[in-house]
Amino acid sequence: MVAEYRAARGLSRIKIAKSEFDGLVGEIRGLRSFIEGGAPEFGKEALRALGSRLFELLLVGRTRDLFFTATGEHEPGEVLPLEVVAEDPEVASWPWEYLYNSNAESFVAQEFHPISRSIFTSTKPSACGPIAGKVRMLLILGVPPDDRDTTPQEEIKYISEVFSAQLDDSRFEIDVLSAEEYQKIVTKLSAQEYHIVHYFGHAGFDYKERVGYLSIQRPGKERFKVDANVFALALRNRGVRLVFLNACKSAVSAPTENPARSSIAAALLDRGIPAVVASQFSIPDNSAHFLAATIYNALLTGRAVGDAIRDGRTAISFADAAKFFDWGIPVLYAANPGEVILPPGMRKPAWAEDFGRAAASGTLIETLAAADRGPPGAPSLIAERTRPMIKDTIKTGKPKYKVALVDIDAKVGFLPDLAQAANQEQGYYHFEVVYLPVPSGYAREGLGDGVQTYLPRLATVLGSTPDLLSVDFVCCLTRNMVATEDDDMIDCNLFAAPLPGNDRVIAVSTFGLRDYARQAGVSFAKAVLAICLSMLVKSDERWAIEYHDDTVGCLFDYCENRDDIVVGLRKMRFDHKSCRDKIKDIDQLAAIDALAELDVA
């Protein structure tokens, strides 16, 4: 182990027994399995223990002394990147971002030591230093712009808002290349110099070929794989300063191969790209948007790329047991993590500094929620066309209840259309689509018939969102079945349930709902709205409505046999007398009837 800090160098030899090495490999596999699939259990203490073992392995003797010297001498606000370069491919693939300093009781990457990775290469990086003149970005979509399973338009929106807020239109340019035009990547790069290449979509790792790839989803066709090395060669010698791979597993490398030939991120660094942001595990879509917005905001205020990745990690951490893994998912490969890519001194609106401080302090959601009620132009939580408009309130009056719709992982791209249509049909409920960074580690296996979104893990994370967003209810959509716990009893395979002890935050499952909607002859959007409406009315404290075991096509059929939901979806009328008579608010009944009749293609 060789360490450098200013003019000082330290050399330490590390020996590790095979049993200890195998134990570390097993722990790392356990962490990966938990983040990717929710099992086996891997808690906060286990992560600290793994991070501590990695820290003790990496820093010994002279290198340890040098680390603590640098840590002690740093100035307030100064960032000291910790670069990790490993010759052994398996060691290089370990999750070094989770290094834990047990003396300081903190994860190194969350403090002033942002972790970055590098490789041994003879290739000279592309031109460095702040970009002069117009900043040009090529934004490559690996999915169609209107894809229903991801949210590419939100990625474009988040990035565009950050750039337009800090730069005049004449100072930046974002070209969007859609999935069906993937063949034009080389043509675009040849015709125009781009400083930043941003990819949003899917990526994967071919364990047979031992190489990573971008997965281009083409409408009506088979996906097209772009091999890591092919993509790296396409960008070589193009003057690109930063590649941002907002795609899961884009930093994964083979334990038996040089990362420069197996990992997409490392292959780009080896071909002269100065800095690459990627992901070593799967990352939820909404968290990915926040990561991108935060990193670009930091870069646009003249911060170094290492400093920016630290802000990005912090923005999606909001540390709590249910989601503290997420901050370690982003990976930075950099020739020099202290490099400044974008120049400082550009236009800075009033909210820009608040945004930066919020990212560093873990209060980004609160800041963006306030911005939605404050100055225009700031990155937004709320989908624009679902905001309440003055003309709407004049026509319908002030709504009785405001409802935030949050897509955790259901990937229902029609959600803003559904909310907008629901608001136009009635004025009792006002629906807003809200984008929040979503934690991982909430999915569990072994509880029911399949993967379950386990609500106790989300309770502390989402419990305060109604007050935070100034709404009455929050409906969170998940692709898994829902499991909850009450009085030490676990209830699984649910279509929906409130958070434990919190009826204002509701989880709604879309598992199997597309097929049920098809059987009932209604749209998937209508089925989603029906379950949300059912939970909203049940959560209304005025009526004390309960679900009933008999299936009669009512909003409050329990549907222990999940297939029974087809009966209610096919009927979609609230005429079950014993339930309807409990509701004494005629305006609410009118809204329920209007929403029951509503359909969105």
Side-chain angles (χ1 to χ4, degrees):
M1 168 64 64
V2 179
E4 295 183 6
Y5 170 64
R6 295 179 179 169
R9 288 188 177 185
L11 173 64
S12 301
R13 298 188 182 277
I14 300 173
K15 293 184 179 180
I16 180 171
K18 185 178 186 302
S19 58
E20 184 180 359
F21 184 89
D22 292 343
L24 271 172
V25 171
E27 287 184 50
I28 290 167
R29 286 175 179 166
L31 170 64
R32 186 180 301 277
S33 296
F34 180 73
I35 293 178
E36 297 291 350
E41 188 72 24
F42 201 102
K44 181 183 292 186
E45 291 305 319
L47 185 65
R48 286 175 176 163
L50 172 60
S52 182
R53 291 183 66 186
L54 291 173
F55 184 90
E56 297 297 328
L57 175 66
L58 184 68
L59 298 167
V60 297
R62 294 287 300 277
T63 56
R64 186 184 183 91
D65 294 341
L66 208 54
F67 172 82
F68 285 114
T69 297
T71 300
E73 290 183 358
H74 91 287
E75 298 292 333
E78 181 184 12
V79 176
L80 298 174
L82 178 58
E83 299 177 68
V84 179
V85 186
E87 289 184 281
D88 183 273
E90 183 156 19
V91 173
S93 68
W94 288 357
W96 295 105
E97 288 67 25
Y98 294 110
L99 282 176
Y100 184 75
N101 181 356
S102 56
N103 292 327
E105 297 184 344
S106 62
F107 289 97
V108 171
Q110 290 184 315
E111 301 297 328
F112 44 85
H113 288 295
I115 303 291
S116 72
R117 302 178 181 218
S118 192
I119 57 173
F120 294 100
T121 179
S122 59
T123 305
K124 184 180 179 181
S126 300
C128 299
I131 296 167
K134 178 182 283 190
V135 178
R136 290 187 170 87
M137 173 190 290
L138 178 62
L139 201 164
I140 303 171
L141 296 180
V143 292
D146 58 350
D147 186 68
R148 294 299 181 98
D149 292 329
T150 57
T151 48
Q153 292 300 333
E154 289 307 307
E155 185 84 347
I156 297 170
K157 168 177 169 284
Y158 268 72
I159 294 173
S160 299
E161 283 179 340
V162 171
F163 272 84
S164 62
Q166 301 213 43
L167 295 179
D168 293 325
D169 291 344
S170 62
R171 296 291 307 280
F172 78 97
E173 180 180 313
I174 300 177
D175 286 346
V176 179
L177 187 65
S178 60
E180 57 267 29
E181 298 179 300
Y182 73 95
Q183 303 99 324
K184 297 181 181 179
I185 292 176
V186 174
T187 304
K188 282 275 191 181
L189 292 167
S190 299
Q192 173 69 64
E193 181 183 48
Y194 292 99
H195 305 107
I196 302 171
V197 173
H198 185 101
Y199 173 83
F200 176 76
H202 302 292
F205 192 86
D206 189 326
Y207 287 93
K208 182 179 180 181
E209 298 295 331
R210 293 175 292 188
V211 67
Y213 60 86
L214 302 179
S215 181
I216 309 293
Q217 309 294 311
R218 302 177 295 172
K221 298 181 181 179
E222 291 290 323
R223 65 178 181 174
F224 184 82
K225 292 184 179 180
V226 181
D227 178 283
N229 294 290
V230 172
F231 186 62
L233 289 172
L235 270 61
R236 185 174 188 171
N237 298 327
R238 305 287 188 183
V240 176
R241 309 286 185 87
L242 169 68
V243 175
F244 198 128
L245 301 171
N246 215 350
C248 299
K249 303 181 182 179
S250 48
V252 174
S253 60
T256 58
E257 299 291 329
N258 183 347
R261 294 294 176 267
S262 62
S263 160
I264 307 172
L268 289 163
L269 192 70
D270 188 50
R271 285 0 184 262
I273 307 299
V276 184
V277 177
S279 299
Q280 61 180 320
F281 305 118
S282 297
I283 187 169
D285 285 343
N286 290 340
S287 293
H289 299 322
F290 274 77
L291 175 70
T294 307
I295 288 177
Y296 285 127
N297 184 78
L299 293 174
L300 283 163
T301 54
R303 310 271 286 284
V305 65
D307 203 0
I309 191 73
R310 187 187 64 153
D311 278 5
R313 288 173 181 146
T314 306
I316 61 172
S317 64
F318 305 107
D320 196 85
K323 58 180 182 178
F324 73 94
F325 294 97
D326 283 4
W327 62 264
I329 295 175
V331 168
L332 171 65
Y333 272 89
N336 175 13
E339 191 73 47
V340 174
I341 295 176
L342 299 176
M346 298 181 178
R347 184 178 70 187
K348 296 179 184 177
W351 62 264
E353 291 186 5
D354 295 337
F355 188 94
R357 283 194 296 269
S361 63
T363 59
L364 187 60
I365 295 179
E366 291 90 331
T367 301
L368 293 183
D372 274 317
R373 299 186 293 271
S380 172
L381 287 174
I382 301 173
E384 184 70 31
R385 63 182 185 276
T386 67
R387 295 173 185 267
M389 301 296 179
I390 294 177
K391 62 180 181 180
D392 293 335
T393 57
I394 292 174
K395 180 175 65 175
T396 62
K398 185 178 179 181
K400 175 71 175 179
Y401 294 115
K402 291 179 67 177
V403 182
L405 301 176
V406 178
D407 188 343
I408 293 182
D409 56 17
K411 298 181 178 180
V412 284
F414 57 76
L415 209 53
D417 298 326
L418 176 62
Q420 189 177 35
N423 294 338
Q424 290 172 347
E425 287 299 313
Q426 50 78 53
Y428 195 86
Y429 296 99
H430 181 86
F431 297 92
E432 294 178 350
V433 176
V434 176
Y435 298 98
L436 298 174
V438 183
S440 60
Y442 56 80
R444 287 186 59 178
E445 296 179 341
L447 294 180
D449 294 337
V451 178
Q452 309 273 330
T453 290
Y454 185 56
L455 299 190
R457 281 191 178 152
L458 293 174
T460 52
V461 178
L462 297 174
S464 62
T465 49
D467 294 331
L468 182 65
L469 301 171
S470 299
V471 298
D472 300 289
F473 297 100
V474 176
C475 290
C476 302
L477 275 60
T478 175
R479 65 185 175 187
N480 309 316
M481 289 181 282
V482 173
T484 190
E485 188 170 351
D486 186 23
D487 296 330
D488 296 326
M489 296 290 292
I490 296 179
D491 201 1
C492 305
N493 303 334
L494 303 175
F495 278 108
L499 292 184
N502 186 345
D503 286 345
R504 297 178 66 196
V505 182
I506 301 157
V508 172
S509 168
T510 62
F511 181 81
L513 202 57
R514 284 181 172 85
D515 287 338
Y516 290 137
R518 192 177 299 113
Q519 294 174 39
V522 299
S523 69
F524 178 40
K526 187 179 184 75
V528 169
L529 180 61
I531 298 180
C532 289
L533 181 60
S534 168
M535 291 302 297
L536 289 173
V537 179
K538 184 185 180 302
S539 298
D540 195 321
E541 296 177 345
R542 294 175 295 172
W543 316 130
I545 288 179
E546 296 294 336
Y547 285 103
H548 41 76
D549 292 333
D550 53 323
T551 300
V552 294
C554 173
L555 285 173
F556 307 109
D557 293 348
Y558 184 74
C559 299
E560 184 170 357
N561 175 9
R562 290 177 63 87
D563 295 350
D564 287 352
I565 196 173
V566 175
V567 177
L569 293 178
R570 187 176 288 134
K571 184 179 181 182
M572 279 309 292
R573 288 192 310 278
F574 185 41
D575 57 5
H576 186 224
K577 190 174 188 307
S578 61
C579 288
R580 189 178 181 95
D581 287 349
K582 293 179 180 179
I583 299 176
K584 308 303 181 183
D585 187 331
I586 59 172
D587 292 331
Q588 186 176 25
L589 285 172
I592 293 172
D593 292 339
L595 292 173
E597 292 181 9
L598 175 68
D599 204 356
V600 177

